[in-house]
Amino acid sequence: MVLMSQASQSHGIRTEILLCKSSVNNTSAFRPRISTITFPWDSSSKSSQKMHHVDAIGVKSKRGNQVIVAASPPTEDAVVATDPLTKGDLVGYLASGCKPKENWRIGTEHEKFGFELKTLKPMTYGQIADLLNAISERFDWEKIMEGDNIIGLKQGKQSISLEPGGQFELSGAPLETLHQTCAEVNSHLYQVKAVAEEMGIGFIGIGFQPKLERKDIPIMPKGRYEIMRNYMPKVGTLGLDMMFRTCTVQVNLDFSSEADMIRKFRAGLALQPIATALFANSPFTEGKPNGYLSMRSQIWTDTDNNRAGMLPFVFDDSFGFEQYVEYALDVPMYFVYRKHKYIDCAGLSFRDFLAGKLAPIPGEYPTLNDWENHLTTIFPEVRLKRYLEMRGADGGPWRRLCALPAFWVGILYDDDSLQKVLDMTADWTAEERLMLRNKVPVSGLKTPFRDGLLKHVAEEVVNFAKDGLERRGYKETGFLNEVTEVVRTGLTPAEKLLELLSIFPPLILNKL
């Protein structure tokens, strides 16, 4: 995942936290210890005596002429805490993401399925490794290794990674404009296509694997996924489908203060079902219509409800960084990364870890790296790290990869549009928000809502986004054309695919 809000090399948490003071919540709970915490990448901090350097695995190495970086994330073993963290430190970590508006950026992530053009079989790990190696050598990407296996690439602030079933993901750099974002998408797709075509490999942008059964999907050799694969069937019926058969596109956006974070979080959660409808693109399972417009979204309703969903507490008056930490502490863990290995902690408590009582590593305390890793294993419709992730959209083709960030930037990065959304949704009840979340995967923009259809709300919201982009002054409104067409016709991408199936069934079925 792209990291949007890193502390600079000359600032620890205390400096960053000053930007995040807010009258909305009492922040005294995390003030006392802020001056004594340092991030491992903050080499200039005078507080570094709190940490003891044990293994700098993030340092680059070379094998022959190849540049290689350590397994992602690269700093798990770089530090261990000699003084236990407190809840205040965890709150401070989130608050350190605050940045002034002029430094807000856009980070876009998207996944896609790869397959053999001749057989339509999914790429094996061996083929994926060949693809990654070729992209690295041809386009000057650094290789990310886990043991002897290549599992990703890194170039500047961009990274390419593998999801559990071999879904190919670009985590884009934090960029200033949508033009830069779309250029990044173009460059990535060009590079992947240039190499993949020579290998007889193609890619499809869609939200759910349209043809293959789960048993036909190859398993990627990443330690964290083995732990998740064993745990998922214990907490839901669709978790393995989520891991191996879904693809998404998401955008990561910044906030300036705790109050700003709260406003954006609430708007993002309220509108996430609309984004799901606008980008619904997964109507097929194993070569047949599955009864859903977004099967990917439906899968999240029974993956692991302890770590997914609409987070109604975000709308409580008491909500802020501290309340999100309380929530995250109660989300069961997956793993801890130590000495280049993933230690299975599935279902255990980060609260116990904070107290040095985590059974697999008793007496050991977490670092901020452990906290960061834990936050990546939480999967609500909007996720808070040191930025906000909008997570409700299906994967899709090029134009929609640029349209999703345009939709959210136009709303969340413009004060007027954001306020209009908050005013519009202020009296939506938790029950209504949940109803939309549950019905949109089936009925999309045709979902009944109050006195009309969700389509009518979506039309207004897309206009808010367009107005917000115009006020930004970068001539970015054209990136909304895809979603403007969806709300005009009321037909989601999934419904258009289903129409094609009714007209050209043999052609469409053979392509799935």
Side-chain angles (χ1 to χ4, degrees), residues 113-420:
F113 294 109
F115 59 94
E116 295 178 354
L117 290 170
K118 287 184 179 180
T119 67
L120 303 185
K121 292 180 179 179
M123 287 193 297
T124 64
Y125 171 70
Q127 291 171 315
I128 290 172
D130 289 343
L131 179 62
L132 289 171
N133 281 313
I135 292 173
S136 170
E137 292 159 7
R138 188 174 305 184
F139 298 105
D140 196 28
W141 289 71
E142 298 174 346
K143 300 178 183 180
I144 300 173
M145 309 295 293
E146 185 170 313
D148 293 328
N149 295 317
I150 184 169
I151 60 167
L153 301 173
K154 182 176 177 60
Q155 187 180 79
K157 295 183 179 180
Q158 300 179 79
S159 64
I160 296 172
S161 58
L162 302 180
E163 294 300 298
Q167 301 97 318
F168 216 68
E169 178 180 18
L170 175 72
S171 294
L175 301 170
E176 186 174 1
T177 72
L178 293 167
H179 299 287
Q180 294 168 348
T181 293
C182 214
E184 177 188 66
V185 170
N186 274 335
S187 175
H188 170 72
L189 295 180
Y190 164 77
Q191 291 180 13
V192 171
K193 183 178 180 181
V195 175
E197 283 186 341
E198 297 173 0
M199 299 174 57
I201 296 295
F203 286 88
I204 183 172
I206 199 166
F208 187 78
Q209 165 55 248
K211 188 175 182 68
L212 300 175
E213 296 181 44
R214 191 199 306 155
K215 66 180 178 62
D216 298 322
I217 307 295
I219 298 172
M220 296 299 103
K222 296 177 69 171
R224 64 185 293 167
Y225 294 153
E226 182 179 358
I227 293 170
M228 292 173 64
R229 183 162 52 95
N230 293 333
Y231 182 68
M232 284 294 183
K234 301 175 183 178
V235 291
T237 65
L238 299 174
L240 295 180
D241 287 309
M242 179 279 292
M243 291 180 65
F244 293 103
R245 296 206 284 180
T246 64
C247 277
T248 187
V249 53
Q250 71 178 53
V251 61
N252 306 327
L253 299 172
D254 288 308
F255 44 81
S256 61
S257 67
E258 184 173 54
D260 188 44
M261 179 277 294
I262 293 169
R263 285 159 51 84
K264 289 173 176 172
F265 209 147
R266 290 173 178 171
L269 280 173
L271 297 187
Q272 210 62 219
I274 291 176
T276 299
L278 292 172
F279 292 85
N281 189 39
S282 46
F284 303 115
T285 299
E286 295 167 18
K288 300 177 182 178
N290 54 33
Y292 296 94
L293 301 179
S294 177
M295 184 63 183
R296 182 208 60 82
S297 182
Q298 175 63 22
I299 279 171
W300 278 110
T301 65
D302 195 15
T303 288
D304 182 349
N305 290 330
N306 286 322
R307 67 183 76 243
M310 290 291 284
L311 305 188
F313 66 88
V314 171
F315 295 87
D316 293 344
D317 291 341
S318 62
F319 178 67
F321 292 123
E322 185 174 358
Q323 288 71 27
Y324 193 85
V325 166
E326 287 288 345
Y327 158 72
L329 284 172
D330 290 328
V331 174
M333 295 178 65
Y334 280 152
F335 59 82
V336 171
Y337 193 76
R338 291 290 185 274
K339 297 180 180 179
H340 310 279
K341 293 183 180 179
Y342 289 93
I343 299 172
D344 190 342
C345 300
L348 301 181
S349 167
F350 204 95
R351 288 187 190 274
D352 287 344
F353 195 11
L354 205 61
K357 298 178 180 179
L358 194 64
I361 48 174
E364 188 165 336
Y365 295 95
T367 68
L368 287 173
N369 294 309
D370 295 316
W371 179 236
E372 181 179 5
N373 287 335
H374 180 58
L375 292 176
T376 69
T377 68
I378 302 173
F379 307 123
E381 293 296 289
V382 177
R383 179 163 65 185
L384 174 63
K385 294 196 279 191
R386 290 190 292 154
Y387 47 90
L388 285 166
E389 299 178 347
M390 304 296 119
R391 296 173 45 82
D394 286 2
W398 171 81
R399 290 186 183 277
R400 289 204 291 280
L401 298 181
C402 301
L404 183 80
F407 175 78
W408 286 115
V409 166
I411 293 167
L412 299 184
Y413 275 7
D414 179 76
D415 290 338
D416 288 348
S417 292
L418 176 57
Q419 188 59 51
K420 287 179 180 177

Side-chain angles (χ1 to χ4, degrees), residues 277 280-284 292-294 442-446 486 489-502:
N281 189 39
S282 46
F284 303 115
Y292 296 94
L293 301 179
S294 177
V442 179
S443 48
L445 293 174
K446 296 180 177 64
V486 172
T489 63
L491 293 176
T492 64
E495 288 166 300
K496 292 180 180 179
L497 287 176
L498 290 167
E499 279 190 355
L500 287 173
L501 179 63
S502 68

Side-chain angles (χ1 to χ4, degrees), residues 18-36:
L18 296 176
L19 298 174
C20 237
K21 289 184 177 179
S22 166
S23 59
V24 175
N25 293 85
N26 182 359
T27 59
S28 61
F30 59 84
R31 282 177 184 153
R33 286 174 47 84
I34 295 304
S35 62
T36 61

Side-chain angles (χ1 to χ4, degrees), residues 60-76:
K60 298 177 184 178
S61 62
K62 284 193 175 183
R63 296 179 185 173
N65 293 323
Q66 302 171 357
V67 179
I68 297 171
V69 297
S72 176
T75 54
E76 292 88 348

